């Protein structure tokens, strides 16, 4: 039985349009959903009615929910004529319906029904889905009418009540869309496997990779000063869909593939399911069996089962086709022994007989195979296996043990947990706002003094305190806002303790209250949250007789809420991958799909030494939005081939995809150690720089800044494609604010944002570190640029030169105009005079000329547009010529770990740099203060001169045409050098003599 219902709480309306002719309205609400209709009570003569009524609709087909619409209409009831008039409507799409736990009251602006409607105000609704069997559906209104019939009213006319009629014209509907449609077809990396067009029987010679034509490589340098070795390289690889040429996939056949952004790799898959009736190997009849899968020099081992004759493993092994060096696959069952493992039995497979999985075939069914001894004779016992050849599109690929990921120390399937590819979802983060208002009836521990009271607030590892206030009347007032970050599911409680500062370093707790975060109210806007009084509990044992004498218990007055209208910043603001608010009701539909194919890495720098040679055990991590992905670890390889493809939904083009390469330092005898995974390099791709539908196949240099300077650690080869699903929505996004509305209605300070971001990164790192395999803290911090806010001389210089390059065009225009004024080129100067005179005579042509000029510049620059995503530039970053001491300072810990002498030297250097910045800022402020002093009479003679000048100028401008004044001013500015003087002009001299506030500074 289907108990799913749509709950709608009609809370209130605000500032409705008066429609009764007496400056008021008698409003009621009608709700339409899936052929059902409900109506609220009528609130007489109230433009801000409050209903607080709940209605429950039956959902006949839950699979069709996302295509249904909830229509809410507000009407004014007129008793005299038994009619009603339209006050507004709200339409909510099914994609915005959320579970009750996520539902909050949202105030929707009412919409017009037609172009002639006059409406205003907001309607507060709480919409949610519930499957509580105790909730019964509401009784519908008799004579349920179709919403289309009611919506056909295009004029703001009065109709009889209760059944609406209309002219039959169609309505211009505005529907609120919030959530992406999960039924919308999208590319998923778990989709059908790549089409393979070879025969299903393979020999060893036939399974060797065919030689491929050389890949086309085109090198780009983002700056003339950028070394060629650090530049981006465009390639033309052969992917699953064909060869990529100039951003387009040229297919060799018409067969499409979901895995068309990676090179097709073939693997021999062996699924070891279970065994039965295995023979006993000793007199006790016990058996600790395990399975060893061997092909050539590669071997995979399952974990052993203690004392089981019928063990179950259900493990998949994947052997790369490129590394196969044998034609026979051996699956051996052994008995675990401390001295030497005993042979139990085996099964052999000729690779020529192994079938090929061709889409859309279902997974291969495992079969029972009789075990053989070493001579090939049948023995007791059977093993259930499935053996086939497939590609990385196979559903068994992500969880399989891989031969190219086998650790040198431990090749068991259990050890492969640390090296498997996985998809992670970061937790949904909330801002917790705690407004501490006051405390009453505090009981101090000492009666001869007024307590100095403050409130300490804990959420997990986050601790904040209010200011200390002396409680002279045993009632303390703070009214302070404290902000925290919490993650779903809420595991930590909100703990508040009222403490008395008895002396330096000595605090005593007066009371404590514990609030579960799951019980805290949620909001998606800036509506007021009702405050509550909480009784404080004594944290330690106290005198019972003393408590009996107390008339009142201590209380704490609080406002606590989960703010879902913000986006919780957990990464650098310059490289944000998601800008959506926490509340799912405010999410907009997706505008496209981002597909990433991680192909391979080449020329990696060795990160460790094994068997006397340098090597690396690398994996890639990509982050976009809440979805993190991790490729499998390729062990002992400086040129690893990953060929894994992933997809993300895109909600905003002004977001960044981050891909990093790490060396796995957790591979050891025990599977994990305390070493940190080492960073090899990072790549960032801004979605707005990608053309729609184009496949970008570039080899990105992995650049890392070390204490010795910038180093290239290798190259990462990727294929990227951004597909737009709604071009209109994408263009509309460009007109919307970058962050959710609450960031502008109630903004945070810069200090608050830095603190909250640090807390959010720690929470995300802790949650992802609990996954299997874990994403370690150093990985999350490097991906999130956690140290980007720290001081760096190199970054400061880089930002200064970026600023200078921005103004370089303005400086060039000023220099050009100076040459015009100095008559460096008389012909050009005469032409500028003619153009200037034309613009003065026809001032209406000034703005059209400016915009036409910008249009022509844009069209001219189209041929020089970037053909590749921007990448890290060592010249712009000032990393190619940075001083070693500046690098040492940048890599220093916080707080510093260097010697006092070195810190003193750097502090003196910082004072010198800051002194120059201080001088520039002071000079700019001085010029502004001189402008203010023109009319402030700080210099009475200067102000009198300026006021007199203003009067004369007003009279002259009143009787003189503006064109004449503009022409005279322009010709004076561009006069010949023989009419110029070396000394500054009188207006400049007058301005420089004006006083500033420098006289008032100490």
């Amino acid at each position: 039985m289907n108990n799913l219902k749509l709950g709608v709480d009609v809370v209130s309306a605000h500032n409705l349009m008066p429609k009764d002719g007496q400056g008021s309205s008698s409003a009621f609400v009608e709700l339409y959903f899936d052929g059902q209709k409900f109506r609220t009570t009528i609130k007489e003569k109230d433009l801000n009615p409050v209903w607080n009524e709940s209605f429950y609709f039956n959902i006949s087909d839950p699979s069709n929910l996302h295509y249904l619409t909830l229509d809410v209409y507000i009407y004014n009831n007129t008793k005299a004529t038994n009619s009603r008039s339209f006050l507004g409507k709200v339409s909510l799409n099914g994609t915005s319906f959320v579970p009750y736990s996520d539902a909050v009251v949202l105030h929707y602006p009412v919409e017009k029904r037609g172009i002639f409607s006059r409406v205003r105000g907001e309607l507060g609704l709480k919409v949610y889905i519930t499957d509580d069997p105790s909730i019964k559906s509401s009784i519908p209104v008799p004579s349920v009418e179709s919403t289309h019939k009611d919506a056909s009213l295009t004029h703001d006319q009065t109709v009889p009540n209760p059944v609406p009629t209309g002219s039959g014209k169609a309505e211009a509907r505005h529907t609120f869309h919030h959530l992406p449609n999960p039924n919308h077809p999208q590319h998923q990396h778990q989709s059908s496997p790549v089409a393979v067009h070879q025969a299903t029987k393979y020999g060893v010679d036939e399974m060797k990779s065919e030689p491929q034509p050389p890949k086309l490589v085109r090198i780009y340098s983002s700056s003339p000063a950028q070394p060629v070795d650090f530049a981006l390289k465009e390639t033309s690889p052969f992917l699953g869909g064909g060869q990529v040429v100039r951003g387009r996939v040229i297919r060799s056949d018409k067969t499409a593939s979901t895995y068309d952004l990676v090179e097709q790799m073939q693997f021999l898959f062996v699924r070891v399911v279970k065994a039965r009736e295995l023979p006993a190997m000793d007199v006790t009849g016990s058996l600790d069996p395990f399975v060893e899968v061997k092909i050539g020099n590669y071997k995979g081992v399952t974990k052993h089962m203690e004392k089981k004759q019928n063990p179950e493993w259900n493990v998949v092994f994947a052997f790369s086709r490129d590394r196969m060096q044998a034609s026979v696959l051996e699956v051996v069952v052994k008995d675990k022994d401390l001295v030497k493992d005993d042979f139990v039995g085996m099964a052999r497979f000729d690779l020529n007989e192994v079938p090929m999985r061709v889409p859309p075939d279902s997974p291969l069914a495992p079969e029972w195979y009789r075990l053989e001894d070493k001579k090939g004779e049948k023995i007791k016992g059977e093993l259930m296996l499935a053996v086939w050849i497939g590609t990385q599109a196979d559903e068994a690929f992500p969880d399989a043990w891989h031969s190219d990921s086998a650790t040198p120390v431990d090749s068991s399937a259990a050890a492969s947990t640390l090296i498997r590819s996985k998809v992670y979802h970061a937790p949904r983060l909330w801002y917790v706002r705690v407004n501490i208002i006051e405390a009453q009836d505090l009981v101090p521990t000492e009666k001869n003094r007024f307590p100095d009271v403050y409130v300490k607030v804990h959420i997990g590892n986050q601790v904040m305190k209010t200011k200390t206030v002396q409680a002279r009347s045993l009632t303390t007032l703070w009214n302070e806002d404290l902000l925290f970050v919490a993650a779903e599911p809420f595991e930590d409680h909100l703990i508040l303790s009222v403490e008395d500062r008895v002396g330096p370093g000595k605090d005593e707790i007066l009371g404590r209250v514990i609030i579960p975060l799951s019980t805290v109210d949620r909001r998606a806007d800036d509506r007021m949250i009702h405050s509550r009084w909480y009784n404080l509990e004594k944290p330690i044992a106290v005198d019972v007789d003393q408590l009996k004498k107390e008339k009142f218990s201590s209380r704490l007055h609080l406002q606590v809420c989960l703010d879902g209208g913000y986006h919780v910043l957990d990464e650098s603001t310059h490289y944000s991958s998601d800008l959506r608010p926490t509340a799912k009701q405010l999410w907009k539909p997706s505008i496209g799909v981002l597909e990433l194919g991680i192909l391979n890495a080449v020329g990696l720098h060795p990160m460790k030494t094994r068997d006397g040679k340098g090597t690396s055990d690398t994996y890639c991590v990509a982050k976009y939005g809440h979805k993190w992905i991790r490729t499998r670890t390729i062990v002992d390889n400086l040129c690893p081939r990953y060929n894994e493809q992933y997809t993300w939904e895109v909600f905003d083009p002004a977001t960044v995809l981050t891909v990093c390469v790490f060396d796995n330092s957790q591979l050891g005898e025990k599977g994990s150690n305390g070493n940190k995974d080492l960073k090899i390099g990072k790549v960032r791709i801004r979605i707005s720089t990608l053309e729609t539908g184009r496949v970008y196949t570039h080899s990105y240099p992995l650049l890392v800044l070390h204490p010795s300077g910038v180093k290239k650690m290798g190259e990462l080869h990727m294929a990227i494609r951004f597909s737009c699903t709604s071009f209109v929505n994408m263009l509309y996004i460009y007109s919307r604010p970058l962050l959710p509305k609450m960031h502008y209605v109630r903004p945070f300070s810069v200090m608050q944002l830095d603190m909250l971001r640090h807390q959010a990164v720690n929470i995300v790192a802790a949650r992802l570190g609990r996954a299997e395999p874990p994403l370690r803290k150093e990985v999350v911090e490097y991906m999130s640029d956690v140290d980007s806010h720290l001081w760096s001389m190199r970054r400061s210089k880089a930002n200064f030169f970026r600023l200078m390059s921005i103004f370089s065009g303005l400086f060039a225009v000023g220099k050009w105009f100076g040459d015009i004024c100095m008559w460096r080129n008389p012909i050009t100067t005469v032409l500028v005079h003619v153009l200037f005179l034309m613009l003065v005579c026809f001032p209406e042509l000034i703005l059209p000329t400016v915009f036409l000029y910008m249009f022509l510049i844009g069209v001219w620059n189209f041929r020089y547009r970037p053909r590749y995503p921007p990448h890290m530039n060592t010249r712009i970053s000032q990393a190619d010529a940075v001083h070693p001491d500046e690098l040492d300072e940048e890599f220093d810990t916080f707080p510093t770990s260097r010697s006092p002498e070195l810190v003193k030297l750097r502090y003196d250097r910082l004072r010198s740099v800051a002194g120059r910045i201080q001088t520039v800022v002071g000079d700019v402020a001085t010029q502004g203060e001189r402008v203010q002093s023109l009319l402030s009479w700080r210099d009475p003679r200067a102000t009198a001169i300026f006021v007199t000048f203003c009067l004369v100028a007003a009279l002259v401008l009143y009787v003189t045409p503006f064109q004449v004044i503009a022409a005279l001013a322009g010709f004076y500015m561009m006069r010949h050098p023989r009419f110029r003087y070396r000394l500054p002009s009188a207006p400049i001299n007058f301005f420089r003599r004006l006083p500033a506030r420098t006289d008032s500074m100490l």
Side-chain angles (χ1 to χ4, degrees):
M1 181 178 178
N2 179 23
N3 291 322
L4 204 62
K5 297 178 180 61
L6 176 68
V8 182
D9 296 349
V10 183
V11 182
S12 61
H14 172 67
N15 195 27
L16 296 177
M17 179 73 70
K19 286 295 183 72
D20 61 356
Q22 301 177 4
S24 185
S25 291
S26 299
F28 66 95
V29 177
E30 285 189 353
L31 303 96
Y32 298 84
F33 178 78
D34 198 13
Q36 305 164 69
K37 169 183 173 182
F38 300 126
R39 184 188 301 144
T40 67
T41 57
I42 299 174
K43 299 297 180 180
E44 301 288 346
K45 304 294 183 180
D46 192 353
L47 294 180
N48 300 288
V50 177
W51 289 281
N52 284 325
E53 300 180 18
S54 299
F55 303 91
Y56 298 95
F57 295 88
N58 284 321
I59 300 177
S60 57
D61 185 5
S63 63
N64 198 38
L65 179 62
H66 290 81
Y67 303 100
L68 300 178
T69 302
L70 171 67
D71 295 307
V72 185
Y73 294 85
I74 312 175
Y75 294 103
N76 168 58
N77 180 59
T78 306
K79 288 185 178 180
T81 59
N82 192 27
S83 62
R84 63 182 181 182
S85 53
F86 180 74
L87 293 178
K89 70 181 181 69
V90 172
S91 293
L92 301 179
N93 192 271
T95 57
S96 66
F97 302 156
V98 298
Y100 181 80
S101 59
D102 289 336
V104 295
V105 178
L106 291 178
H107 296 271
Y108 299 91
V110 297
E111 299 289 332
K112 295 182 178 181
R113 181 168 49 190
I115 59 175
F116 298 104
S117 298
R118 295 178 64 246
V119 299
R120 75 181 188 192
E122 297 176 335
L123 178 62
L125 300 173
K126 183 177 182 179
V127 184
Y128 50 89
I129 297 173
T130 178
D131 58 355
D132 188 351
S134 63
I135 297 179
K136 305 299 180 182
S137 299
S138 305
I139 301 177
V141 177
S143 302
V144 176
E145 299 293 333
S146 171
T147 60
H148 298 287
K149 184 176 180 181
D150 185 65
S152 62
L153 290 170
T154 58
H155 297 281
D156 190 14
Q157 57 202 41
T158 303
V159 296
N161 190 24
V163 181
T165 59
S167 60
K169 297 181 182 179
E171 170 200 1
R173 172 176 294 177
H174 182 184
T175 305
F176 288 89
H177 298 271
H178 298 302
L179 288 176
N181 190 348
N183 296 325
H184 193 280
Q186 297 172 358
H187 297 285
Q188 298 292 336
H189 84 278
Q190 296 91 351
S191 301
S192 59
V194 179
V196 183
H197 307 285
Q198 294 86 351
T200 58
K201 309 294 184 181
Y202 287 89
V204 178
D205 295 334
E206 296 173 349
M207 292 179 62
K208 295 180 180 179
S209 300
E210 299 178 358
Q212 296 180 350
K215 301 177 182 178
L216 303 178
V217 178
R218 187 175 292 108
I219 299 177
Y220 295 110
S221 181
S222 56
S223 172
Q226 176 86 341
V228 177
D229 195 37
F230 292 170
L232 213 59
K233 300 175 184 176
E234 184 179 11
T235 62
S236 297
F238 287 85
L239 305 182
Q243 185 180 13
V244 179
V245 178
R246 296 187 179 275
R248 305 296 175 188
V249 178
I250 308 301
R251 302 185 185 277
S252 58
D253 49 48
K254 296 183 180 180
T255 304
S257 169
T258 304
Y259 274 71
D260 60 347
L261 291 186
V262 292
E263 296 178 358
Q264 188 180 108
M265 299 178 66
Q266 292 188 355
F267 296 87
L268 174 66
F269 290 97
V270 181
R271 181 186 296 276
V272 181
V273 184
K274 56 184 176 180
R276 65 184 179 186
E277 299 179 358
L278 295 178
M281 300 305 296
D282 54 17
V283 294
T284 62
S286 63
L287 182 69
D288 300 335
F290 67 94
V291 177
E292 188 177 274
V293 182
K294 297 173 58 178
I295 179 169
N297 294 329
Y298 292 96
K299 178 178 65 174
V301 182
T302 68
K303 63 180 180 180
H304 72 279
M305 301 291 182
E306 294 185 0
K307 299 181 180 181
K308 286 192 176 182
Q309 302 293 123
N310 301 305
E312 291 188 13
W313 295 281
N314 199 22
V315 178
V316 180
F317 298 87
F319 297 89
S320 177
R321 165 190 170 183
D322 296 337
R323 297 189 176 188
M324 289 184 183
Q325 301 173 350
S327 60
V328 177
L329 168 68
E330 295 182 353
V331 183
V332 184
V333 181
K334 292 187 176 182
D335 178 28
K336 188 70 175 177
D337 192 273
L338 295 177
V339 180
K340 183 180 179 180
D341 297 334
D342 295 327
F343 176 85
V344 178
M346 66 185 303
R348 291 187 178 92
F349 296 88
D350 188 350
L351 294 187
N352 294 325
E353 303 298 326
V354 174
M356 183 78 183
R357 272 200 64 189
V358 179
D361 289 352
S362 299
L364 192 66
E367 301 179 18
W368 286 105
Y369 292 90
R370 285 284 302 272
L371 296 180
E372 302 175 355
D373 58 16
K374 295 181 180 179
K375 297 179 180 180
E377 298 180 0
K378 300 295 182 180
I379 62 174
K380 183 183 178 182
E382 291 181 317
L383 186 63
M384 180 178 280
L385 300 171
V387 183
W388 72 96
I389 293 177
T391 65
Q392 66 265 45
D394 200 295
E395 66 272 5
F397 179 82
D399 294 326
W401 173 96
H402 291 270
S403 60
D404 55 1
S405 299
T407 65
V409 178
D410 192 352
S411 61
S412 66
S416 66
T417 305
L418 291 172
I419 55 182
R420 289 175 179 170
S421 58
K422 287 295 179 183
V423 175
Y424 307 83
H425 284 277
R428 188 155 61 126
L429 301 177
W430 291 80
Y431 283 139
V432 183
R433 187 184 296 272
V434 183
N435 181 246
I436 303 172
I437 303 174
E438 61 179 333
Q440 285 186 353
D441 304 321
L442 297 177
V443 181
T445 56
E446 299 179 8
K447 298 299 183 180
N448 56 354
R449 56 177 288 274
F450 293 111
D452 293 328
V453 184
Y454 66 92
V455 179
K456 182 188 293 185
V457 186
H458 300 254
I459 297 182
N461 295 326
Q462 308 170 56
V463 181
M464 294 188 70
K465 300 178 181 179
T466 65
K467 60 185 177 182
T468 302
V469 177
Q470 193 174 57
R472 292 183 174 272
S473 61
L474 302 183
T475 297
T476 310
L477 181 65
W478 291 281
N479 198 22
E480 286 190 39
D481 258 353
L482 302 180
L483 290 166
F484 301 87
V485 179
E488 289 185 341
F490 301 116
E491 298 177 347
D492 299 316
H493 294 322
L494 175 64
I495 304 175
L496 302 98
S497 58
V498 181
E499 302 188 13
D500 178 17
R501 179 150 295 170
V502 179
K506 183 180 179 182
D507 300 326
E508 293 186 358
I509 300 178
L510 302 181
R512 177 181 296 165
V513 60
I514 300 176
I515 304 174
L517 288 178
S518 57
T519 63
V520 174
D521 293 336
R522 307 183 184 192
R523 67 175 183 180
D525 49 22
D526 59 340
R527 64 185 177 91
M528 289 295 296
I529 296 294
H530 296 294
S531 60
R532 290 182 56 189
W533 286 94
Y534 294 87
N535 292 328
L536 294 176
E537 299 177 357
K538 294 292 182 179
I540 57 176
V542 296
D543 188 1
V544 178
D545 296 333
Q546 180 67 22
L547 288 177
K548 291 180 179 179
K549 297 178 182 179
E550 301 291 342
K551 188 175 182 180
F552 303 102
S553 62
S554 301
R555 301 190 302 169
L556 189 61
H557 195 192
L558 302 174
Q559 276 184 332
V560 185
C561 71
L562 295 171
D563 264 332
Y566 293 93
H567 168 68
V568 180
L569 296 169
D570 60 340
E571 52 196 341
S572 175
T573 54
H574 300 293
Y575 313 120
S576 294
S577 61
D578 189 15
L579 300 171
R580 292 174 295 171
T582 301
K584 291 183 178 180
Q585 296 92 327
L586 303 179
W587 289 5
K588 304 297 181 183
S590 63
I591 62 172
V593 174
L594 176 66
E595 299 168 274
L596 169 67
I598 303 177
L599 303 178
N600 56 66
V602 295
L604 294 181
H605 187 78
M607 305 300 292
K608 62 184 65 170
T609 302
R610 183 179 293 138
D611 297 333
K613 65 176 183 178
T615 186
S616 291
D617 307 325
T618 57
Y619 64 92
C620 297
V621 177
K623 175 190 186 303
Y624 186 78
H626 291 172
K627 181 178 176 181
W628 297 59
I629 66 96
R630 168 180 175 152
T631 68
R632 67 190 190 281
T633 299
I634 306 298
V635 176
D636 199 12
N637 197 332
L638 296 180
C639 296
R641 297 177 61 197
Y642 304 100
N643 284 309
E644 299 183 24
Q645 184 170 338
Y646 301 91
T647 62
W648 288 268
E649 280 189 307
V650 177
F651 296 88
D652 196 314
T655 47
V656 176
L657 167 71
T658 303
V659 185
C660 297
V661 183
F662 296 91
D663 177 78
N664 195 331
S665 301
Q666 311 310 311
L667 304 180
E669 295 183 358
K670 296 182 180 180
S672 177
N673 52 50
N675 297 333
K676 292 185 177 181
D677 288 353
L678 303 177
K679 57 187 178 184
I680 295 179
K682 179 187 298 183
V683 176
R684 300 192 191 98
I685 305 294
R686 187 169 294 273
I687 308 303
S688 59
T689 62
L690 303 178
E691 297 179 14
T692 303
R694 179 180 175 183
V695 179
Y696 292 86
T697 53
H698 291 84
S699 184
Y700 293 84
L702 299 173
L703 306 178
V704 176
L705 194 63
H706 290 278
S708 58
V710 64
K711 287 185 179 180
K712 179 179 177 181
M713 308 295 291
E715 295 182 2
L716 180 63
H717 193 194
M718 298 189 299
I720 302 170
R721 177 171 56 205
F722 169 60
S723 304
C724 178
T725 57
S726 178
F727 185 73
V728 175
N729 286 344
M730 183 173 64
L731 295 182
Y732 175 70
I733 286 293
Y734 279 90
S735 66
R736 303 300 301 162
L738 192 64
L739 293 171
K741 175 182 176 182
M742 285 296 294
H743 285 271
Y744 307 97
V745 175
R746 296 189 66 178
F748 297 139
S749 65
V750 176
M751 295 295 293
Q752 283 179 318
L753 285 177
D754 287 342
M755 178 195 67
L756 293 173
R757 176 173 169 257
H758 179 71
Q759 296 173 357
V761 171
N762 288 337
I763 291 176
V764 172
R767 287 292 179 90
L768 296 182
R770 292 159 53 181
E772 189 63 38
L775 274 182
R776 295 176 62 84
K777 184 177 181 181
E778 61 269 16
V779 173
V780 177
E781 290 181 347
Y782 184 59
M783 297 282 291
S784 303
D785 291 285
V786 70
D787 295 330
S788 60
H789 64 287
L790 296 179
W791 159 261
S792 167
M793 181 71 77
R794 177 188 59 84
R795 289 198 194 100
S796 300
K797 290 195 295 186
N799 290 333
F800 172 77
F801 286 113
R802 286 174 56 202
L803 191 64
M804 294 300 294
S805 64
I806 292 297
F807 289 106
S808 61
L810 185 61
F811 297 152
V813 171
K815 183 178 181 301
W816 172 81
F817 186 72
D819 293 340
I820 293 297
C821 295
M822 298 304 295
W823 290 70
R824 304 287 186 192
N825 190 334
I827 298 177
T828 304
T829 303
V830 172
L831 292 177
V832 170
H833 277 74
V834 174
L835 176 63
F836 172 73
L837 192 60
M838 290 176 57
L839 294 178
V840 168
C841 297
F842 304 98
E844 63 275 6
L845 297 179
I846 295 177
L847 286 179
T849 301
V850 172
F851 285 106
L852 180 61
Y853 182 61
M854 290 190 293
F855 167 77
L856 294 176
I857 292 177
V859 173
W860 177 261
N861 288 337
F862 179 77
R863 59 184 297 186
Y864 305 109
R865 68 189 185 278
R867 303 302 179 96
Y868 61 95
H871 188 53
M872 299 176 185
N873 189 296
T874 57
R875 181 61 178 170
I876 295 177
S877 304
Q878 295 294 311
D880 54 349
V882 62
H883 193 274
D885 183 65
E886 296 176 0
L887 279 175
D888 183 72
E889 180 184 23
E890 183 171 347
F891 282 93
D892 190 9
T893 58
F894 185 82
T896 181
S897 60
R898 299 298 186 261
S899 63
E901 294 79 10
L902 186 57
V903 174
K904 177 180 180 299
L905 178 64
R906 291 173 179 173
Y907 175 67
D908 291 339
R909 180 178 62 192
L910 180 60
R911 289 181 62 190
S912 175
V913 174
R916 291 195 293 269
I917 297 175
Q918 169 186 291
T919 302
V920 173
V921 173
D923 291 342
V924 174
T926 297
Q927 308 308 319
E929 290 170 351
R930 284 173 176 169
V931 173
Q932 292 178 341
S933 64
L934 284 171
L935 297 174
S936 65
W937 296 92
R938 293 192 63 200
D939 185 341
R941 288 165 293 277
T943 302
I945 295 173
F946 183 71
V947 169
T948 305
F949 169 78
C950 291
L951 177 61
V952 175
L955 296 175
V956 171
L957 292 174
Y958 183 75
V959 299
T960 307
F962 176 76
Q963 290 87 341
V964 175
I965 300 298
L968 292 176
F971 283 124
Y972 176 78
M973 292 289 296
M974 295 183 291
R975 66 192 184 278
H976 199 273
R978 70 176 59 186
F979 301 111
R980 295 179 181 274
Y981 299 95
R982 293 174 180 256
L983 298 178
S985 62
I988 294 178
N989 294 332
F990 176 79
F991 182 77
R992 289 177 177 174
R993 290 179 178 275
L994 293 173
R997 294 185 177 180
T998 52
D999 305 332
S1000 303
M1001 294 186 63
L1002 293 174

